[in-house]
């Protein structure tokens, strides 16, 4: 019930009947080279009392693992599928394959279908404007036709760049949707209201700081510091989240829907890849956010209200695009292998409990790739490092990041090892024309972890021999199982492009090595 803490079953790691923030969920992204088995991840969610999860596709293996758990699920139609979903028959097929297939007793507790992900992001240059609303209508109408539309709602997760306050009046109360998309947004919010669906927006205070040294740091958090006063309402804002949220509320009001429920689809803080992205700041951020949510404080325009949020993200994802920044691979509250990064208290009481890590994780052998100390010609060391970084993840080497203080050879070893692990410790992936060498000695240094990658899953069995080619296996992956679309500000990247350390860094490294 709103305004109170939901009592849960006894959680073993606490040992007493606990409570958690009402409406707290988490995003489960899968843009990673190596992933925990879905059943292991579902066990992790249950062990930590996480009862809501937001997906970026409709992967059948994940939905199968969620079946029977009662974890509330938001699954998704990817941006790449929006055009296809403008065909109502295709939308009905999608709903049948990914929703009604799982809504039987003991199935998956599906609550929302996200149609696209931040489709009106400015970086997309309007490429999804003409397909999003038709796709939304078709998915909701397909849900209605299937008899599940009263309990499962279609909606669209938007980036916060769909609204703003004008420069001449930058108050939250002056929020409006962008002029270039206003007509389409108006149609969408009218349709959401008609179908009793919420407006979903992704809010990232971290991005207010990223690349903007003039932004007041404390205003990105919840523990005081700079405040602003809305010149129209007189409301005082002490953090950028409230100001952003209320700008959204004002934009909805200007569109005739001031009472529409607003769900925060993504919110979080990265822990590496930038000088402001670290576990200390992530801990500070969540230590302010969770008590705020638990107390149902709401915002100045919606005081005392319950806010439903999905933390971003569950795990780090090493195959995400770094177009938004090197931090994009490091949003997880858990590491790539399901281990907690910092204390978090989902009850919002500030008790800083240790989360329960993934159990029975299977790793590759304890082997690392390092610079070969016996190599005589090191003239190509920087070139080979750049190759390794292009094909793996070197974002932790960037300025202000966890491994930036390594010496020259240490940085090359880090890059070599990431490439070696990405390729499942294939000996050929640690050759680098004689510049690399496999070692059984852990070469991690201080806060810089030289990781051992997860054991890859066994290859799938060959398809059964059959003379019939009609139909598909009921266990086959649906056509919707694509990764989420690229976002310049959030989780949404499906690109598998890997990290570049940057030409300036390579130049510095080359100087260090000669």
């Amino acid at each position: 019930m709103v305004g109170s803490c939901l009592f849960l079953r006894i959680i073993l790691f606490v040992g007493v009947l606990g409570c958690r923030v009402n409406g707290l969920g988490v995003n489960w992204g899968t843009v990673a080279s190596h992933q925990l088995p879905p059943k292991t991840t579902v066990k992790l969610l249950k062990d930590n009392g996480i009862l809501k999860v937001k997906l970026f596709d409709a992967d059948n293996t994940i939905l199968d693992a969620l079946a029977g758990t009662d974890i509330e699920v938001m699954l998704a139609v990817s941006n790449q599928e929006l055009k296809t979903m403008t065909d109502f028959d295709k939308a009905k097929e999608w709903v049948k394959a990914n929703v009604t297939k799982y809504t039987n007793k003991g199935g998956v507790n599906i609550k929302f279908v996200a149609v696209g992900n931040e489709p009106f992001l400015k970086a997309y240059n309007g490429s999804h404007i003409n397909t999003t609303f038709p796709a939304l209508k078709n998915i909701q109408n397909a849900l209605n036709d299937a008899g599940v539309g009263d309990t499962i709602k279609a909606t669209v997760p938007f980036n916060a760049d769909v609204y703003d306050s004008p420069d001449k009046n930058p108050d939250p109360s002056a929020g409006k949707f962008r002029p270039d998309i206003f007509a389409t947004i108006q149609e969408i919010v009218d349709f959401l209201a008609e179908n009793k669906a919420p407006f979903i927006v992704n809010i990232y205070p971290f991005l207010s700081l990223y690349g903007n040294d003039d932004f007041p740091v404390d205003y990105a958090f919840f523990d005081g510091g700079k405040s602003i006063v809305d010149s129209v309402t007189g409301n005082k804002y002490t953090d950028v989240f409230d100001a952003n949220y209320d700008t959204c509320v004002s934009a909805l009001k200007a569109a005739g829907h001031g009472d529409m429920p607003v769900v925060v689809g993504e919110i979080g803080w990265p822990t590496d890849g930038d000088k402001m992205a670290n576990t200390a700041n992530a801990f500070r951020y969540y230590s302010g956010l969770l008590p705020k949510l638990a107390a149902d404080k709401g915002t100045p325009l919606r005081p005392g209200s319950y806010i439903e949020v999905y933390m971003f993200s569950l795990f780090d994802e090493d195959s995400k695009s770094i177009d938004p920044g090197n931090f994009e691979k490091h949003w997880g509250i858990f590491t790539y292998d399901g281990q907690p990064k910092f204390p978090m208290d989902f009850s919002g009481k500030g008790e800083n409990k240790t989360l329960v890590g993934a159990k029975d994780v299977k790793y590759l052998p304890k082997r690392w790739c390092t610079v070969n100390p016996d190599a005589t010609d090191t003239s190509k060391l920087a070139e080979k490092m750049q190759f390794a970084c292009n094909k793996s993840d070197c974002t932790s080497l960037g300025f202000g990041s966890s491994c930036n203080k390594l010496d020259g050879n240490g940085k090359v070893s880090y890059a070599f090892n990431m490439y070696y692990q990405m390729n499942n410790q294939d000996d050929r992936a640690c050759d680098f024309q004689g510049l690399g060498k496999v070692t059984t000695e852990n070469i991690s240094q201080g806060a810089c972890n030289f990781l051992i990658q997860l054991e890859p899953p066994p290859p799938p069995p060959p398809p059964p021999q059959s003379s019939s080619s009609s139909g598909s296996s009921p266990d086959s992956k649906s056509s919707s199982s694509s990764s989420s679309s690229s976002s310049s500000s959030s989780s949404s990247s499906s690109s598998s492009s890997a990290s570049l350390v940057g030409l300036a860094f390579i130049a510095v490294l080359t100087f260090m090595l000669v």
Side-chain angles (χ1 to χ4, degrees), residues 56-90:
F56 293 93
D57 48 30
D59 189 316
N60 287 172
T61 59
I62 291 177
L63 293 175
D64 288 342
L66 287 164
T69 65
D70 206 36
I71 293 174
E72 190 178 281
V73 177
M74 181 191 306
L75 46 79
V77 173
S78 70
N79 285 352
Q80 291 85 348
E81 295 172 295
L82 290 174
K83 185 176 181 180
T84 301
M85 294 304 113
T86 61
D87 182 324
F88 185 52
D89 288 336
K90 295 294 185 182

Side-chain angles (χ1 to χ4, degrees), residues 194-235:
E194 178 185 341
N195 288 277
K196 298 181 173 58
F199 187 88
I200 298 184
V201 62
N202 302 336
I203 299 177
Y204 283 97
F206 167 80
L207 293 175
S208 300
L209 286 179
Y210 178 65
N212 184 3
D213 290 335
D214 295 328
F215 190 88
V217 172
D218 290 343
Y219 195 57
F221 298 91
F222 297 93
D223 48 8
K226 179 180 173 61
S227 64
I228 66 168
V229 176
D230 190 300
S231 63
V232 176
T233 64
N235 288 329

Side-chain angles (χ1 to χ4, degrees), residues 343-403:
M344 293 183 73
D345 181 8
F346 290 153
S347 74
K349 294 181 178 180
E351 296 179 1
N352 299 330
K353 301 170 182 175
T354 300
L355 300 181
V356 180
K359 296 181 173 65
D360 301 320
V361 178
K362 294 182 179 179
Y363 297 90
L364 292 170
K366 291 184 178 181
R367 295 201 297 262
W368 294 263
C369 182
T370 187
V371 171
N372 185 355
D374 300 322
T376 55
D377 182 4
T378 61
S379 61
K380 293 186 177 181
L381 206 57
E383 175 189 332
K384 296 304 177 184
M385 176 186 175
Q386 186 171 9
F387 170 84
C389 287
N390 288 345
K391 302 294 184 180
S392 62
D393 174 18
C394 292
T395 52
S396 294
L397 293 175
F399 174 72
S401 300
S402 61
C403 298

Side-chain angles (χ1 to χ4, degrees), residues 448-508:
C448 181
N449 178 39
F450 283 60
L451 61 80
I452 295 290
Q453 194 50 270
L454 300 175
E455 181 180 291
Q465 298 297 318
S466 172
S467 59
S468 171
S469 61
S470 61
S472 60
S473 167
D475 293 327
S476 65
K477 210 171 190 180
S478 75
S479 62
S480 67
S481 301
S482 60
S483 297
S484 55
S485 65
S486 174
S487 163
S488 71
S489 66
S490 72
S491 76
S492 325
S493 166
S494 63
S495 169
S496 61
S497 62
S499 165
L500 287 171
V501 176
L503 293 177
F505 169 71
I506 294 297
V508 172

